[in-house]
Amino acid sequence: MESQKRKTENSKSFAEITAQFVQKDGERVYCRIEGNNKCTYIQSKYDAGNFIRHFRTRHTNLAKEHGLISEHQCWKASKKPRIIPKKSVPIDKQLLVDSAIKLVTYHHLPLSCFQWEGLRQLLDPLEAAVGIKLNRSNATVHIEQAASKIRTTMAIEMKTRLLCLMIDSASRLNHHVLGILVQFAVGDTIVTRTLGEKIYNYF
């Protein structure tokens, strides 16, 4: 019982410390433990426990300095340090940006996914390697730029051609998809392009 009480008190203490190093803007909460805007970690809804884990894993030295890591945790971490080996990975800026765009446009993840702690653990080392930073704001810019290039390319290839407009719909697993497509001939080949797509959920 006494042990549980101490655990609760420590949790409250960590939460109170954590609250000093976050900045709230409406429902969004930003990491400010470094005292600047270098860290891009954001929560759409404040969760002190997730911020504590973020501070401990991404800002370990500052977390120790401000008492967010107990002596037992420091001892445990120093006893079994984790060494991550460096490996060569074939990736460049364009591939990373294209993958980020597909996460939102093809796999339908929300733009807030770029603040998910699990995804950030994968993205941070890749971003550092290619010299780019992906977040909710600039991901929107990359998507808009890619969409603009696609529209320009489609307009050029469809110019002066006879077009067949198609409206297609399908339902599967509580989802209804409505698509607007266009077909045209290029030599002996029929080319299909998707102009727009809308997914509806129903229960």
Side-chain angles (χ1 to χ4, degrees):
M1 187 69 179
E2 184 64 27
S3 175
Q4 184 65 32
K5 181 179 179 182
R6 285 197 302 269
K7 183 178 180 181
T8 302
E9 290 175 350
N10 288 338
S11 298
K12 288 182 179 179
S13 176
F14 289 149
E16 290 171 355
I17 296 171
T18 299
Q20 301 174 26
F21 302 108
V22 301
Q23 177 184 340
K24 296 183 179 180
D25 182 9
E27 292 187 354
R28 294 186 185 180
V29 188
Y30 299 80
C31 170
R32 292 295 180 263
I33 196 169
E34 292 189 8
N36 51 41
N37 297 332
K38 290 177 63 176
C39 182
T40 60
Y41 179 71
I42 305 173
Q43 288 184 0
S44 58
K45 186 175 181 182
Y46 183 57
D47 186 309
N50 286 340
F51 256 112
I52 292 171
R53 282 191 292 273
H54 169 72
F55 290 156
R56 288 173 176 173
T57 56
R58 308 305 299 176
H59 309 281
T60 306
N61 291 334
L62 288 172
K64 291 179 182 177
E65 179 182 334
H66 295 297
L68 287 169
I69 301 180
S70 66
E71 292 182 3
H72 173 71
Q73 289 169 323
C74 290
W75 174 83
K76 186 177 180 181
S78 62
K79 183 180 180 181
K80 295 182 179 180
R82 184 183 177 192
I83 300 175
I84 301 177
K86 293 183 179 181
K87 296 184 179 181
S88 298
V89 178
I91 192 169
D92 59 10
K93 178 179 178 180
Q94 189 60 52
L95 179 58
L96 185 58
V97 170
D98 289 347
S99 300
I101 291 173
K102 286 181 180 179
L103 287 176
V104 176
T105 60
Y106 185 78
H107 298 290
H108 306 293
L109 292 184
L111 285 168
S112 60
C113 73
F114 297 107
Q115 277 73 52
W116 294 353
E117 189 168 356
L119 189 57
R120 287 254 48 101
Q121 287 181 319
L122 294 174
L123 288 178
D124 284 347
L126 296 176
E127 291 172 351
V130 301
I132 189 177
K133 197 69 178 176
L134 292 170
N135 54 46
R136 187 182 191 130
S137 299
N138 60 31
T140 302
V141 175
H142 290 306
I143 292 172
E144 291 175 348
Q145 290 175 345
S148 178
K149 290 179 181 178
I150 292 173
R151 286 193 295 267
T152 300
T153 301
M154 291 174 62
I156 292 173
E157 70 175 355
M158 290 188 290
K159 188 176 182 180
T160 71
R161 299 184 186 277
L162 181 64
L163 305 177
C164 176
L165 185 65
M166 303 172 59
I167 299 178
D168 193 15
S169 65
S171 297
R172 184 182 180 188
L173 299 177
N174 296 327
H175 296 288
H176 182 76
V177 181
L178 175 65
I180 301 177
L181 309 94
V182 65
Q183 285 188 333
F184 54 91
V186 178
D188 296 331
T189 303
I190 300 299
V191 179
T192 302
R193 295 284 184 255
T194 300
L195 301 181
E197 181 182 85
K198 182 68 175 180
I199 300 177
Y200 299 91
N201 299 324
Y202 61 89
F203 301 94

